[in-house]
Amino acid sequence: MTTATLPSRNGAIAALARPRVHVDAVMLEARAAELAKRSIKTSAKLAGIDIAIRCCDFTALEGKDSDGRVRSLCAKAITPRPGWSDIPSCAAVCVYPNRVATAKEALAGSSVKVASVATSFPSGLVDLDVKLADTAQAIAAGADEIDMVIDRGAFLAGHEDVVVDEIVAIKRLCGPIHLKVILETGELGSYEAMRRASDISLEAGADFIKSSTGKVPTGATFATALVMCEAIRDFHRRTGEKRGLKLAGGIRTTKQALTYLVIVNETLGPEWLQPELFRIGASLLLDDLLMQLEKERTGHYAARDYIPKD
Amino acid sequence: MATTAFTYAPAPERVRPKIRQRYGLFINGGWTAPKSERYFDTINPADESVIAQVAYADAEDVERAVRAARKGFERWSRLKPADRAKLIYRIARAITERSRELAVLESMNGGKPIRESRDFDIPESAAHFFYHAGWADKLEWALRAGETPAPIGVCGQIVPWNFPLLMAAWKLAPALACGNSVVLKPAETTPLTALALAQIIEEADLPPGVVNIVTGDGATGAALVDNDGIDKIAFTGSTEVGKLIQRRLSGKGKRITLELGGKAANVIFADAPLDQAVEGIVQGIYFNQGHVCCAGSRLLVEESVHDELVARLTDRIRTLRLGDPLDKNTDIGAINSRVQLEKIHELVRSGIEQGATFVQAECELPARGFFFPASFFTNVHPSHRIAREEIFGPVLSIMTFRTPDEAIEKANNTPYGLSAGIWTAEGSKNMWIAQHLRAGVVWCNTFNKFDPSSPFGGYKESGFGREGGVHGLREYLA
């Protein structure tokens, strides 16, 4: 896995110096809606479901998630459908910092990574030293990936330098550990702001930009995904570096997941459709993927109880 | 790690419309064999197979249709307006109910992708009947206070092959709402959805003779134009034919509206939302294979963003999927006819010969049928034929400008004036430029958007008269 080059203070200044990119909401949504009309059937649907499972960050971010539940989630992430050996494992399990050790132990020997939310997820409204300590704890416990949140309050108040400085500081602490920067698009108010937050996060050293925490009413949408893809595509065009996209928040159905694959496929290209560069964060999606997979393979839906409860 | 290829599987629309082997003329509320005793084949441009045989109407057949329309007019114009509305609503509902079948038929006969016929042509056709049905008993509100609405009489309507059902709807719905009767002539290559509409009208129980549909070629259209029983001619098609019609009608005292060709400027400023502008360009020139009279076929780009925009557009046209019009994932369908395909090739050759740089999406073309990949020219100069003549295909001509004044000057430097587009993030600039463009429709940060309530029509050699909205309605009132 390659990681973004460690940013310097100069990198942060470069981030802020990038021109703002205009985004027109009407045409952006029209394009997203057009992509959502792609008809993904038969072999394409099977391939899409396979990719979606491979790229799934299986998520346990409820306050009531105990060590026991984290262990059972981990088991499901490794073997989503017991008895079907050709179903891939998920990409990662996503937990809070103090569940990292448990997840790490449960996933030992598998390909599934441990992702930890950090920086006082989901609001991020604590001082930088607390965010650093939170992140350090997750790393010390063995996290392979860190999902940080940006300070949306600072961003919306025009203090982009605060946002950039925090990303730079967290990325320095992470080193080779993959950093996903959560923009919380549902709080940013416009596509133009989402695009700006994407641009400065990528410049500041984000390995992935991630749409949402899943903790506010609006999570990922097709248009949000599209505008983030455009930022990653333009960053790649300018620097030659491939950065990743993680979509989260409200993704529950196979149909939604397949549309996101179409958006990535036609905006960034098919080479982005792999866990190194694309993730879907979800807790309920996996069950629907498995149900639809069975339907495609056998012609009928399985009874719910054939799919393990997590 | 193994990666899975995400390749879209074929997704063909499976509904098959009922198609008769042979269609007569729809005159006086029923189907009748042509006096000409001639029929012609109508084909599927995607595979060149014959779909059906269609009657050829000669001058005598047109005369029969006009006479039927005259009688139909007597009844229709005296019908209670609310009853006219009821019958027009019935047509609108029937189109909605049969939308899937009609969409497939439209794509089979015309070559356009099912995505477009399904999501644009058919719903928009129904919308025109719904909108105008609502007008039928409120016509005095379309006029100045004190004026009394009255129909014109028998309308001869000649529609093109690019939006066969939609253009028929644009013409029929306002004419009927105002109490006129109609003789409609569909385009030679795309008669089938108009004939399906005739079946709908038959089942809707409109009085006989109110709508008559005569199929044929240019000579049929000419017979309609020359027929003395016609009170108004409404024509959508090429500027060349439009001029002929106007010449033939001069001094005859008949009403006339013409919606003709275009060579629309799509103007991109450096501060535009570029990714969305690219979508607007794609929508403007590749929609319906560029067979659109208001297509954004001349792209005027501010010089400072030219290279970046061209790079984005080059990437974007690679993702356009060309192929079977009935596949739900097809973006570029078939060119409507061999004649049109040859015309596109001829103009493209002239562009290359005159020194413009040709860029084309690489894709495999189907073995049969008429296809042309999404393409554009850079280094186009205003003197090139491809900058002046309507190509009517998926071929864009890109030119640059430096200042807003130069953009306006170049945009207006065309004998046409049907539509234009402006792309800038600055609202005031949008409004200012729009005021200075001599075009019937100006789209700001969007392109090719239509609504039955919005008037559409041209300046200069793009014709006169409006269709849609209250302006379009008045064209059918005496």
Side-chain angles (χ1 to χ4, degrees):
Chain A
M1 205 180 250
T2 55
T3 58
T5 20
L6 277 185
S8 62
R9 183 64 203 156
N10 287 343
I13 291 166
L16 295 169
R18 291 295 317 159
R20 297 185 74 94
V21 174
H22 291 297
V23 180
D24 182 81
V26 174
M27 282 303 282
L28 180 82
E29 286 178 355
R31 172 64 177 150
E34 187 182 291
L35 288 166
K37 282 182 180 164
R38 288 287 190 219
S39 181
I40 304 301
K41 303 285 183 214
T42 59
S43 61
K45 189 168 178 182
L46 281 169
I49 290 171
D50 185 81
I51 293 167
I53 296 173
R54 268 178 218 286
C55 294
C56 182
D57 277 8
F58 201 34
T59 298
L61 293 175
E62 289 174 15
K64 64 184 181 198
D65 284 335
S66 61
D67 284 334
R69 182 169 138 85
V70 168
R71 278 191 211 100
S72 79
L73 269 171
C74 290
K76 187 169 174 179
I78 298 169
T79 315
R81 180 72 162 85
W84 284 18
S85 57
D86 58 340
I87 307 290
S89 299
C90 294
V93 168
C94 188
V95 294
Y96 278 105
N98 65 357
R99 297 284 178 265
V100 169
T102 307
K104 190 76 184 170
E105 193 191 323
L107 294 169
S110 78
S111 63
V112 183
K113 299 197 156 45
V114 180
S116 174
V117 295
T119 72
S120 191
F121 178 94
S123 76
L125 293 182
V126 295
D127 287 343
L128 180 59
D129 52 352
V130 182
K131 291 184 180 182
L132 287 166
D134 193 24
T135 310
Q137 185 198 338
I139 293 171
D144 303 300
E145 302 172 354
I146 295 292
D147 289 25
M148 74 170 282
V149 290
I150 64 164
D151 183 339
R152 284 86 74 189
F155 177 82
L156 291 171
H159 306 308
E160 292 179 352
D161 53 332
V162 172
V163 176
V164 167
D165 283 345
E166 287 193 350
I167 297 171
V168 169
I170 302 287
K171 179 60 192 169
R172 297 191 138 243
L173 184 64
C174 287
I177 290 172
H178 258 216
L179 177 64
K180 306 186 198 120
V181 175
I182 305 171
L183 312 178
E184 196 66 303
T185 50
E187 288 187 342
L188 297 185
S190 73
Y191 295 116
E192 214 155 270
M194 294 176 202
R195 173 65 198 241
R196 178 66 179 166
S198 299
D199 285 344
I200 63 173
S201 300
L202 291 166
E203 291 285 348
D207 294 298
F208 269 68
I209 47 175
K210 173 176 168 184
S211 63
S212 320
T213 61
K215 300 292 183 190
V216 302
T218 308
T221 67
F222 299 147
T224 302
L226 179 56
V227 80
M228 292 174 75
C229 282
E230 287 171 353
I232 294 169
R233 182 203 57 201
D234 289 353
F235 185 83
H236 175 244
R237 199 175 268 160
R238 198 167 63 245
T239 65
E241 277 186 54
K242 287 181 181 166
R243 301 286 177 86
L245 173 71
K246 179 171 171 181
L247 301 166
I251 307 174
R252 294 190 186 90
T253 66
T254 301
K255 190 147 192 340
Q256 282 174 297
L258 292 176
T259 296
Y260 286 120
L261 295 187
V262 166
I263 292 169
V264 171
N265 187 41
E266 296 200 28
T267 313
L268 288 166
E271 65 270 30
W272 253 267
L273 291 177
Q274 47 152 322
E276 308 280 295
L277 291 168
F278 179 61
R279 299 287 176 86
I280 297 176
S283 49
L284 300 170
L285 172 66
L286 189 54
D287 288 357
D288 193 58
L289 289 170
L290 294 169
M291 273 178 55
Q292 296 299 332
L293 181 69
E294 185 136 1
K295 162 78 168 36
E296 279 305 303
R297 285 189 177 181
T298 66
H300 48 79
Y301 289 102
R304 278 195 174 280
D305 286 341
Y306 280 87
I307 293 165
K309 293 267 181 281
D310 42 60
Chain B
M1 187 179 289
T3 50
T4 312
F6 189 50
T7 314
Y8 304 162
E13 169 60 65
R14 294 192 193 281
V15 163
R16 282 294 171 272
K18 286 193 199 82
I19 302 173
R20 297 179 193 167
Q21 282 187 321
R22 179 177 263 205
Y23 288 88
L25 303 169
F26 184 68
I27 294 175
N28 204 30
W31 298 88
T32 163
K35 293 277 182 223
S36 73
E37 295 181 357
R38 282 168 58 199
Y39 290 84
F40 60 99
D41 290 343
T42 189
I43 66 160
N44 180 340
D47 61 11
E48 300 169 60
S49 63
V50 174
I51 307 175
Q53 285 204 318
V54 177
Y56 179 85
D58 62 12
E60 198 187 337
D61 292 309
V62 169
E63 172 62 23
R64 276 200 297 154
V66 173
R67 257 187 271 130
R70 181 55 58 194
K71 276 198 279 178
F73 175 68
E74 298 308 319
R75 278 186 67 184
W76 186 246
S77 59
R78 289 181 191 148
L79 207 61
K80 212 166 93 183
D83 288 339
R84 278 206 311 262
K86 196 173 75 185
L87 290 165
I88 301 169
Y89 275 124
R90 214 178 265 174
I91 298 172
R93 282 198 305 273
I95 292 174
T96 309
E97 280 158 16
R98 294 182 206 176
S99 57
R100 246 178 119 182
E101 214 184 307
L102 287 166
V104 172
L105 191 59
E106 196 74 299
S107 285
M108 283 174 74
N109 201 195
K112 65 177 66 204
I114 186 76
R115 180 166 68 80
E116 290 177 10
S117 48
R118 177 195 68 199
D119 297 344
F120 177 73
D121 291 68
I122 309 305
E124 199 69 12
S125 302
H128 268 267
F129 282 105
F130 275 118
Y131 172 81
H132 286 98
W135 267 117
D137 57 357
K138 304 170 191 73
L139 293 173
E140 60 271 33
W141 299 97
L143 301 169
R144 277 189 288 268
E147 289 179 342
T148 310
I152 296 171
V154 178
C155 300
Q157 304 184 322
I158 303 171
V159 296
W161 46 260
N162 56 348
F163 297 93
L165 184 66
L166 181 58
M167 291 300 105
W170 276 29
K171 297 257 183 297
L172 281 170
L176 296 179
C178 294
N180 303 283
S181 65
V182 171
V183 178
L184 178 87
K185 191 216 149 262
E188 187 182 352
T189 58
T190 55
L192 291 183
T193 46
L195 294 169
L197 183 63
Q199 287 173 287
I200 286 173
I201 286 167
E202 191 182 6
E203 287 162 28
D205 263 343
L206 259 73
V210 174
V211 176
N212 305 274
I213 298 184
V214 291
T215 43
D217 60 7
T220 310
L224 192 58
V225 170
D226 291 339
N227 193 296
D228 288 333
I230 297 276
D231 301 301
K232 172 189 164 114
I233 288 287
F235 171 77
T236 296
S238 71
T239 293
E240 193 190 341
V241 175
K243 284 179 179 175
L244 277 174
I245 291 175
Q246 199 179 0
R247 224 170 273 145
R248 284 171 107 124
L249 288 182
S250 69
K252 289 197 171 174
K254 293 183 188 180
R255 295 270 295 266
I256 174 171
T257 47
L258 299 173
E259 199 262 89
L260 308 174
K263 190 75 183 175
N266 202 1
V267 185
I268 318 278
F269 285 95
D271 66 355
L274 280 190
D275 281 315
Q276 286 76 51
V278 167
E279 291 313 314
I281 295 165
V282 168
Q283 176 72 14
I285 190 64
Y286 304 125
F287 176 59
N288 199 27
Q289 296 76 246
H291 301 330
V292 184
C293 46
C294 53
S297 51
R298 282 186 304 146
L299 193 72
L300 295 171
V301 192
E302 193 163 342
E303 213 167 295
S304 60
V305 288
H306 172 270
D307 293 356
E308 189 181 346
L309 190 84
V310 168
R312 280 166 200 260
L313 185 62
T314 307
D315 283 351
R316 179 66 176 88
I317 64 172
R318 283 196 195 115
T319 68
L320 292 170
R321 302 168 65 85
L322 177 144
D324 178 7
L326 290 184
D327 189 299
K328 292 173 201 161
N329 291 327
T330 291
D331 299 314
I332 308 271
I335 300 299
N336 186 266
S337 64
R338 184 182 297 281
V339 173
Q340 188 56 31
L341 182 63
E342 278 162 9
K343 190 185 153 200
I344 295 167
H345 277 298
E346 196 266 317
L347 271 159
V348 165
R349 273 195 302 276
S350 87
I352 294 167
E353 279 160 19
Q354 290 189 308
T357 310
F358 187 57
V359 179
Q360 188 168 60
E362 276 175 36
C363 61
E364 214 173 295
L365 298 186
R368 293 181 65 77
F370 317 130
F371 290 91
F372 198 92
S375 317
F376 62 82
F377 280 105
T378 57
N379 295 316
V380 179
H381 299 295
S383 57
H384 291 168
R385 279 182 67 199
I386 51 167
R388 311 204 64 78
E389 294 177 32
E390 193 175 27
I391 300 175
F392 227 61
V395 185
L396 176 70
S397 301
I398 304 182
M399 289 170 278
T400 59
F401 67 87
R402 291 156 299 172
T403 64
D405 284 335
E406 191 185 352
I408 291 166
E409 196 188 341
K410 284 186 165 164
N412 286 336
N413 181 19
T414 167
Y416 296 112
L418 194 53
S419 67
I422 306 168
W423 297 81
T424 166
E426 204 181 293
S428 57
K429 187 154 69 190
N430 243 326
M431 294 302 141
W432 187 80
I433 302 284
Q435 279 179 339
H436 290 81
L437 293 181
R438 292 176 48 73
V441 184
V442 180
W443 285 292
C444 295
N445 288 352
T446 188
F447 212 94
N448 274 346
K449 290 279 176 270
F450 303 90
D451 190 274
S453 64
S454 176
F456 182 90
Y459 275 50
K460 301 191 278 187
E461 291 190 20
S462 289
F464 46 77
R466 293 292 178 263
E467 294 184 294
V470 66
H471 307 77
L473 198 73
R474 288 197 198 114
E475 310 280 2
Y476 286 94
L477 290 171

